[in-house]
Amino acid sequence: MSATSPGVSISSAVPEHVAVIMDGNGRWAGRRALPRHAGHKAGVKAARSAVETCAESGVKCLTLFAFSSENWRRPREEVGALMALFVEVLKRETEELHRNNIRLRFIGDRPSLGKRLAQRIAAAEALTADNTGLDLNVAMAYGGRWDIVEAARRAAERVAAGELSPADISEETIRGHLALGDCPDPDLLIRTGGEHRISNFLLWNLAYAEVFFTPTLWPDFSNADIDAAFSFYRERQRRFGRTAEQLEARSC
Ligand code: IPE
Ligand code: IPE
Ligand code: MG
């Protein structure tokens, strides 16, 4: 699919790479007088359904923001409940994802997640490594700035080792060292929960994403919302810096 190549104007029918900021779990719970962790639990169901729908729709790559580097600032009980939920979900869902030919990858500051979760992550990645269906990336303890700093550090290490000259550092060098260096950039970013911000998600990779904001709280996110996001995407003209006239001339 060509929608991600700079220079191609018309959005393909289905975005190749979809990134999602799954926001609104706490408010969903609050409206039901439930504790915040009940909202996170309900959010897992919405994530499962979004994964299925994206896989069936022909999306090649789905990146879900599950826990940001800034979310460590939340109350200790909420962070603890989230980490326990991640362990439980991995335990419960990995086999099913594997049966559905989904390849799992986790991006973020892995050591900060603790040994138990890091072990589950490594096992899930190893089990699904050769799958050829949907690429499912889960961002945990992830920050876009952290990602860029890590990439810069790796490039600097190569310079220090004499493998790379500073003059040869290019966008491709940095991209290649990012957590999603081998994925095409997201074509579509969806943020639920009504906020219109990026919250330090894939800062580099989202440079040319189409952005769909919806007030729907993440646990309520349904196939109807995915349809709305995909039709919004289909209506965009992706210009990548060119003019509409240039693109129209090319498509004649
Ligand atoms: C997103 O929902 C999930 C995480 C950040 C882990 P929130 O927990 O931010 O929900 P709201 O924004 O408070 O409603
Ligand atoms: C962004 O949501 C992170 C995730 C969805 C995991 P937040 O709710 O943490 O975002 P801010 O802090 O309100 O911007
Ligand atoms: Mg939030």
Side-chain angles (χ1 to χ4, degrees):
M1 186 167 325
S2 53
T4 51
S5 334
V8 174
S9 61
I10 306 301
S11 299
S12 300
V14 175
E16 183 173 14
H17 183 174
V18 178
V20 187
I21 302 177
M22 309 184 289
D23 195 22
N25 296 350
R27 278 164 285 164
W28 183 92
R31 285 176 196 177
R32 288 162 179 75
L34 294 169
R36 291 181 62 84
H37 68 79
H40 297 314
K41 206 172 153 193
V44 174
K45 273 195 197 163
R48 188 194 296 127
S49 153
V51 168
E52 274 168 25
T53 307
C54 283
E56 284 161 12
S57 309
V59 169
K60 184 71 200 84
C61 180
L62 175 65
T63 303
L64 301 177
F65 204 6
F67 190 87
S68 74
S69 41
E70 288 69 35
N71 288 147
W72 292 115
R73 298 174 182 155
R74 292 194 176 194
R76 200 211 294 233
E77 314 78 70
E78 182 171 350
V79 170
L82 276 164
M83 294 302 140
L85 182 66
F86 294 148
V87 171
E88 185 194 314
V89 170
L90 272 170
K91 203 152 114 188
R92 204 178 57 215
E93 307 280 345
T94 302
E95 280 294 338
E96 169 82 6
L97 291 168
H98 182 46
R99 271 196 299 279
N100 290 329
N101 198 23
I102 289 170
R103 184 166 65 167
L104 262 170
R105 171 173 31 188
F106 291 80
I107 58 170
D109 183 13
R110 229 176 259 220
S112 71
L113 293 170
K115 215 170 167 185
R116 207 156 66 106
L117 185 50
Q119 278 171 350
R120 289 251 167 229
I121 285 173
E125 286 180 334
L127 180 72
T128 62
D130 296 329
N131 290 344
T132 54
L134 179 77
D135 277 330
L136 176 58
N137 305 310
V138 181
M140 270 184 196
Y142 176 87
R145 288 180 177 175
W146 166 87
D147 199 357
I148 293 169
V149 168
E150 286 296 302
R153 195 195 322 280
R154 282 191 212 111
E157 281 165 2
R158 287 176 56 205
V159 169
E163 296 163 17
L164 181 68
S165 145
D168 291 334
I169 295 179
S170 63
E171 286 194 9
E172 287 318 305
T173 316
I174 300 297
R175 167 192 298 283
H177 287 299
L178 291 169
L180 293 183
D182 55 349
C183 287
D185 284 345
D187 303 292
L188 173 66
L189 170 69
I190 299 173
R191 180 170 187 146
T192 61
E195 305 295 356
H196 291 202
R197 56 181 177 247
I198 302 293
S199 300
N200 198 17
F201 198 20
L202 300 159
L203 294 180
W204 177 289
N205 320 63
L206 289 171
Y208 259 105
E210 304 297 334
V211 185
F212 181 79
F213 295 111
T214 169
T216 302
L217 301 175
W218 177 250
D220 291 329
F221 191 77
S222 67
N223 282 348
D225 296 290
I226 296 195
D227 286 347
F230 285 8
S231 22
F232 161 86
Y233 175 76
R234 274 195 300 275
E235 282 157 21
R236 308 271 69 77
Q237 185 188 47
R238 307 194 75 192
R239 291 192 284 275
F240 299 100
R242 293 184 173 82
T243 66
E245 290 73 20
Q246 282 179 297
L247 297 169
E248 275 143 29
R250 281 167 145 230
S251 63
C252 287

